[in-house]
Amino acid sequence: MTYGVKVPISGFPEWLPSQRMIEQYVLDKIRSTFELYGFAPLETRAVESIDTLLSKGETSKEVYLLRRLQEDENSTKEDQLGLHFDLTVPFARFVTENHGKLQFPFRRYQIQKVWRGERPQEGRYREFLQADIDVVNRDTLPFHFDTEMPLVIGDAFRSLPIPKAVIQVNNRKVCEGFYRGLGLEDTAQVLRTVDKLDKIGPEKVAALLVETAGATDAQARLCLKLAEISTSDASFVDHVKALKVDDPLLDEGLDELRQVVEAANEHAPGLIRAELKIARGLDYYTGTVYETQLEGYERFGSICSGGRYENLASVGNTRFPGVGISIGVSRMLGLLFGRDALTVSRSVPTAVVIALPSEDERANCERIAAGLRRRGVPTEVAPTAAKFGKQIQFADRRGIPFVWFPGADGHSVKDIRSGEQVDADPQTWMPPADDLRPQIKGL
């Protein structure tokens, strides 16, 4: 079968090799940070039952169904499977199925593809890679895990050559308690409406609050006043108190949010910002919620989000509350690739090419290459015994810094960037550390 040039399928990114190397570098940094905090790796299946996927919020329009081309006429709705749209729902299912084998609190990280039927646009895809961390416990989860999440993500982002990341944090108890203190009963509807603030603006949000949540104009104005509060320290507490709305749940949420902000400021000043308009769309969040923006890319929204959930997983009368946060790896990289904000020093891992004097010498050249590889030097042998000038051009076009010249009386290696050529022993030679692996750089 032959394939001609076809239009790419929208929303399913395929990175070039150089971009894929950047992605792998980013994943390695994220993974190592997660493991430094004691999170264990996990991978769940790509599919879940439709009932599982649709039980956790308003996601039915986003779910991709999985079925055979020749559908079984006896199949029922209970047999239907869908591709997971996030990693939290399958993680919760995994916990309920394996709780007898797990040690709690259970800390896991998960780096996998997910699928979501959204309209593709810059930085938003239908198939994308997420990197999640979650902590779950049996019955109750101490609040200090909520304060830990931003610290892990902050360390992961600081290990990468990307713009500064600011984690915006809120607590749904603050919002729900405030709305309850105002006398608004349908707090879930108010949350969903306020969550649209950045998309439709305050005037339309106020009108929707009156229309869909039964708010008066005065109540809608106070909801917007709360959403305007934004501080980099714990002063948000005083700003909320100044609105003179009282409710025990509001007080509890303010105290929890203060703990998150103060812990982050002690760990990394400037990492976090209390942003009281943040609500998060998914219905399973019950307390702390996080969203993260990159400086210079704010108009594209969050590239890392999550929160606390009390009721996502349960077995009988036993609940497994948790808190988690997810990095949208493909989303973040897509935005940075679109601005050429990440570069790699060469398009292949190879650090040195063994020049081939003639095809008769190929076996000897392969032995030299094998010796270098055993010592961790990425090496390949030139594809043909062309003139040495063309073999140097072959290396240069791919960004490979060194060419190795074998000889009966000794070997030499040439740095084709500077033109310097020196004698080299295949048993001991190593490239400079910065040339051993491709270097990833940001703007």
Side-chain angles (χ1 to χ4, degrees):
M1 181 181 291
T2 59
Y3 294 89
V5 177
K6 294 184 178 180
V7 177
I9 300 175
S10 178
F12 294 82
E14 293 180 321
W15 306 134
L16 293 169
S18 58
Q19 294 172 321
R20 176 63 175 151
M21 284 197 292
I22 294 172
E23 182 184 58
Q24 288 181 319
Y25 171 86
V26 167
L27 293 177
D28 287 343
K29 290 290 188 180
I30 292 172
R31 184 183 297 108
S32 64
T33 303
F34 289 171
E35 292 184 353
L36 281 174
Y37 277 84
F39 290 88
L42 179 68
E43 181 169 327
T44 57
R45 64 198 185 209
V47 298
E48 298 291 337
S49 70
I50 291 300
D51 287 344
T52 298
L53 292 173
L54 298 187
S55 65
K56 307 303 180 184
E58 297 178 349
T59 56
S60 59
K61 294 180 181 179
E62 299 181 353
V63 174
Y64 278 111
L65 289 177
L66 187 72
R67 66 179 182 86
R68 292 180 296 177
L69 187 60
Q70 299 294 329
E71 189 65 84
D72 186 345
E73 62 182 17
N74 297 318
S75 64
T76 65
K77 183 177 182 295
E78 287 71 27
D79 300 322
Q80 287 186 324
L81 300 175
L83 296 171
H84 57 222
F85 59 85
D86 74 355
L87 298 178
T88 306
V89 169
F91 173 58
R93 188 265 312 156
F94 178 88
V95 169
T96 61
E97 292 180 359
N98 295 278
H99 64 95
K101 306 172 186 176
L102 303 176
Q103 297 296 317
F104 292 97
F106 178 47
R107 304 162 68 86
R108 82 86 173 84
Y109 74 87
Q110 199 167 337
I111 301 176
Q112 280 184 248
K113 291 285 185 70
V114 300
W115 295 267
R116 197 171 293 178
E118 295 186 310
R119 182 174 64 86
Q121 52 188 297
E122 187 174 11
R124 286 197 178 275
Y125 305 107
R126 292 169 172 165
E127 177 186 69
F128 52 99
L129 192 64
Q130 287 190 180
D132 283 28
I133 50 172
D134 284 84
V135 182
V136 296
N137 201 29
R138 193 187 300 271
D139 296 324
T140 60
L141 181 72
F143 185 76
H144 65 78
F145 290 111
D146 290 49
T147 70
E148 182 185 41
M149 290 289 139
L151 312 188
V152 183
I153 296 301
D155 285 358
F157 282 148
R158 280 194 300 276
S159 74
L160 300 171
I162 61 174
K164 180 183 177 182
V166 177
I167 301 174
Q168 300 174 331
V169 63
N170 195 9
N171 193 303
R172 283 196 172 185
K173 294 177 185 177
V174 171
C175 301
E176 291 183 31
F178 188 87
Y179 305 150
R180 204 164 67 181
L182 284 176
L184 295 171
E185 295 182 1
D186 193 352
T187 57
Q189 180 59 45
V190 180
L191 274 171
R192 286 192 290 270
T193 304
V194 173
D195 198 38
K196 300 175 182 178
L197 196 55
D198 286 339
K199 295 180 180 178
I200 65 176
E203 291 184 7
K204 290 184 178 179
V205 165
L208 277 176
L209 288 172
V210 173
E211 178 184 343
T212 66
T216 65
D217 289 338
Q219 289 171 327
R221 282 195 299 272
L222 279 170
C223 289
L224 292 176
K225 285 284 188 184
L226 179 73
E228 290 172 0
I229 296 172
S230 173
T231 70
S232 58
D233 56 22
S235 62
F236 66 87
V237 176
D238 294 331
H239 293 304
V240 175
K241 296 288 188 184
L243 298 177
K244 300 187 182 305
V245 174
D246 294 315
D247 186 87
L249 187 63
L250 171 61
D251 294 336
E252 183 181 334
L254 287 173
D255 182 60
E256 290 182 351
L257 185 56
R258 176 189 56 77
Q259 293 180 56
V260 174
V261 171
E262 289 180 348
N265 279 335
E266 181 177 345
H267 182 78
L271 169 65
I272 208 165
R273 187 167 190 85
E275 198 74 56
L276 271 58
K277 66 182 177 181
I278 301 299
R280 301 290 299 130
L282 291 173
D283 291 344
Y284 50 68
Y285 293 124
T286 56
T288 310
V289 286
Y290 316 95
E291 290 193 353
T292 309
Q293 294 184 343
L294 289 182
E295 286 193 351
Y297 296 81
E298 290 87 354
R299 70 185 181 92
F300 295 104
S302 179
I303 51 94
C304 174
S305 56
R308 157 78 70 136
Y309 45 91
E310 297 291 340
N311 304 306
L312 190 60
S314 62
V315 178
N317 294 325
T318 303
R319 290 187 306 115
F320 297 95
V323 62
I325 193 165
S326 173
I327 301 173
V329 179
S330 299
R331 176 167 172 73
M332 177 179 72
L333 289 178
L335 295 172
L336 295 172
F337 288 158
R339 301 295 184 276
D340 293 324
L342 287 173
T343 59
V344 62
S345 58
R346 55 184 186 261
S347 62
V348 294
T350 312
V352 58
V353 169
I354 308 298
L356 184 63
S358 69
E359 283 299 330
D360 293 340
E361 293 290 318
R362 182 170 292 279
N364 180 50
C365 290
E366 291 289 359
R367 282 191 289 272
I368 298 170
L372 290 168
R373 292 181 193 126
R374 280 193 294 270
R375 292 189 292 103
V377 181
T379 307
E380 58 183 284
V381 177
T384 62
K387 292 180 179 179
F388 280 164
K390 288 189 175 181
Q391 295 189 51
I392 292 173
Q393 288 177 0
F394 166 79
D396 187 45
R397 283 195 303 270
R398 304 166 78 209
I400 300 170
F402 296 99
V403 175
W404 185 285
F405 295 99
D409 299 325
H411 304 264
S412 64
V413 64
K414 182 173 185 173
D415 183 335
I416 63 175
R417 299 161 299 184
S418 66
E420 181 182 9
Q421 186 166 338
V422 298
D423 293 339
D425 183 343
Q427 303 302 315
T428 59
W429 181 83
M430 290 290 292
D434 286 348
D435 291 323
L436 186 60
R437 297 283 183 268
Q439 297 296 299
I440 312 298
K441 294 183 179 180
L443 288 178

